Amino acid sequence: MAALNVLSVFDKEAAFGRLSPFQCREIREPDIPNPRWLKVRNKACGLCGTDITFIFMKVHPKAFPAATPAWRRKYLGHELLGEVIEAGSEVEGFAVGDRIGLRMDWPTCFEMEIDPPCPQCARGSYLLCENWGRRDPVVVDKGGGFSPYMVMHRSQAFKIPAALSNDEALLMEPVAVAVHGAYSRLPAAGDKVLVIGAGTIGLLTLAVARAVQPDAEYWSVARYPFQAEMARKLGASGIIPDEKNNFPAVADASGARYISRLGNRILMGGFDLIYDSVGNGTTVNNALRWARGGGHVVLLGADFKPERIDYSPVWNQEVTLSGINSHAVESDGRTSWDIAAEMLAGGKLNLDGIITHRFPLEEYQEAIRTFVHKGSKGATKIVIEHR
Ligand SMILES: [Zn+2]
Ligand SMILES: [Zn+2]
C-alpha cells in the first residue's frame, strides 16, 4: 500500500500498473460452494467513491477501517444489477432469472453462518459485524459487481421488485445509503436542512429526505454548475457555492448571524440539520459550525483519513454529530433497501439524470479517469456494463 501511495505522487496512473495491488484479471468463473449460495451474472455496476479509494489505496494506515481484519482479496463493485443463473437448493425466495442487488458486500455473521450472530448483525447493523476476520471466507474468489459472474450467499442478495427499471435497480445501493442517512435523523416539518456535496450520495440524500419530509426547506452545497442544476431539480430551494469562505452565504441561507474574529469564523444560529455527504476535515469542521445550537450533523461521506476536527461546537453549541455506514435495518424494522425499493416503486424519487456515464468493462480505465475528473466530465454516477 505504501509503495503505491509513493508512486501515486508522481504518476496518477500508478494504480493501473504492474506494481499496483489493484488488478484487473481473467479468472475462473466461481462455483457455488454449498446449497445456500447463488450464482449471478452481472449486467452492470455503478462505480462508487469507495471503489476509487480502494483502487488508489487512499486508506490512511491510522484510519479506523485500516485496522479492521482484512481478506486476501477484495472484489470491487457493490452497486450491481445482476441476474440469478443458479440458485442452491436451500435458497428460498430467489429463482433463476430474478434481478438482484448486493445488500451485504462484506462478510457478515450471515454469510459466515455464525449462529447465533453477533449483537450488531442480530439487530441488523450488518456492516458493524463484530466477527469480521474471525473465520476464513467460504469462497475467496467470489467475484464482485465488476466481474461478469459472481457467487453470493443467500443473505447477501436483494430481489429487485418488478416495478423498478434497470437504471433504478442499479441505483438501489446508493439510494439505500441515502435512506439510512436520512432515517438516522429525519428532518422535522419547518426545518432548514443543508446537504453538503452534490455527488450521487448528496443528491440522493436530498431526494430521499425531501420525499419523506416535504415540509422542510432544503439547501445544497454544490461544487459544479451541473451538480447545482440537479440539486435544484431534486428540490433544493437554494445553492451554496463550494467556495473558500461560504460562511456569509450559509448565514444568509439559514438566517444566522455571521461573526469572524481573527480568522475564527462562526455562525450564531444556522441549519437545524446538516447531511455531510463529503465528510472530509473541511466539511465536518464547517458543518459543526453551520448547525444551530442543538442542531444535528449526519456524516454520510466516507473519508479514510484521520483529520483534525475542532469539536468545540459539540459542547459549546450542543451540536450532535452522528454518522452512518452504508445501510442496515431501520428503527421501524424495515431494511434501508426495502424502504428504498418502496420509494422507487411508489414513484417518490425521480432519479433521471443521476447516471451520466456508461462504459463497457474493457474501458474501465476510462471510467476511472472520468470519475477522477468528474467536474470537467460532468459526471455523477458512472456505470460499468457487462456487454
Ligand atoms: Zn457505494
Ligand atoms: Zn456479525
Side-chain angles (χ1 to χ4, degrees), residues 158 161 163-164 172 175 179 183 332 334-349:
F158 179 84
L164 269 57
M172 270 295 303
V175 174
V179 165
Y183 272 71
D332 64 5
R334 294 183 295 166
T335 69
S336 324
W337 284 70
D338 289 331
I339 296 170
E342 244 170 67
M343 290 179 95
L344 284 165
K348 296 219 161 106
L349 303 172

Side-chain angles (χ1 to χ4, degrees), residues 187-193 213-218 254 270-273 292:
D191 269 0
K192 287 200 168 200
V193 182
Q213 180 51 273
D215 298 326
E217 189 181 306
Y218 294 90
S254 61
F271 282 96
D272 298 290
L273 172 59
R292 64 160 165 82

Side-chain angles (χ1 to χ4, degrees), residues 10-241:
F10 304 104
D11 179 6
K12 284 276 177 237
E13 305 272 303
F16 300 143
R18 232 171 11 93
L19 290 175
S20 170
F22 163 69
Q23 295 289 333
C24 187
R25 290 260 184 84
E26 201 67 53
I27 61 160
R28 229 184 115 260
E29 247 179 69
D31 295 317
I32 60 170
N34 65 47
R36 295 173 298 283
W37 286 64
L38 297 158
K39 184 161 174 176
V40 175
R41 175 167 41 226
N42 286 319
K43 294 171 189 283
C45 183
L47 187 57
C48 170
T50 57
D51 296 320
I52 299 293
T53 299
F54 295 133
I55 288 169
F56 290 101
M57 281 300 185
K58 290 281 184 213
V59 181
H60 191 283
K62 294 273 189 200
F64 187 98
T68 54
W71 289 266
R72 240 187 305 161
R73 277 189 280 284
K74 170 78 183 108
Y75 285 82
L76 296 181
H78 54 273
E79 300 179 4
L80 63 87
L81 167 61
E83 182 190 344
V84 176
I85 56 170
E86 183 186 351
S89 57
E90 291 171 38
V91 178
E92 274 170 37
F94 294 95
V96 170
D98 281 349
R99 291 187 305 166
I100 55 161
L102 178 62
R103 196 160 68 90
M104 299 180 195
D105 183 21
W106 298 88
T108 61
C109 290
F110 306 111
E111 178 182 331
M112 295 184 277
E113 300 189 335
I114 295 174
D115 194 25
C118 75
Q120 296 295 349
C121 286
R123 71 185 180 99
S125 296
Y126 42 83
L127 276 150
L128 316 184
C129 178
E130 293 169 4
N131 281 325
W132 264 37
R134 282 242 169 100
R135 289 208 186 159
D136 287 337
V138 183
V139 192
V140 174
D141 295 314
K142 57 184 186 172
F146 298 141
S147 36
Y149 295 91
M150 69 181 294
V151 290
M152 54 176 93
H153 185 259
R154 59 185 177 187
S155 62
Q156 294 179 268
F158 179 84
K159 190 166 160 176
I160 304 291
L164 269 57
S165 70
N166 280 348
D167 279 359
E168 287 173 325
L170 264 174
L171 291 168
M172 270 295 303
E173 200 274 344
V175 174
V177 172
V179 165
H180 193 40
Y183 272 71
S184 73
R185 173 59 171 81
L186 284 171
D191 269 0
K192 287 200 168 200
V193 182
L194 178 66
V195 181
I196 299 178
T200 303
I201 295 296
L203 291 170
L204 294 179
T205 302
L206 170 64
V208 166
R210 193 164 165 271
V212 180
Q213 180 51 273
D215 298 326
E217 189 181 306
Y218 294 90
W219 290 73
S220 159
V221 177
R223 177 169 286 180
Y224 307 111
F226 73 94
Q227 293 181 331
E229 196 185 312
M230 269 308 285
R232 278 193 197 279
K233 207 186 100 190
L234 291 171
S237 51
I239 307 294
I240 291 161

Side-chain angles (χ1 to χ4, degrees), residues 233-249:
K233 207 186 100 190
L234 291 171
S237 51
I239 307 294
I240 291 161
D242 183 18
E243 286 163 0
K244 219 165 179 79
N245 183 9
N246 41 20
F247 277 65

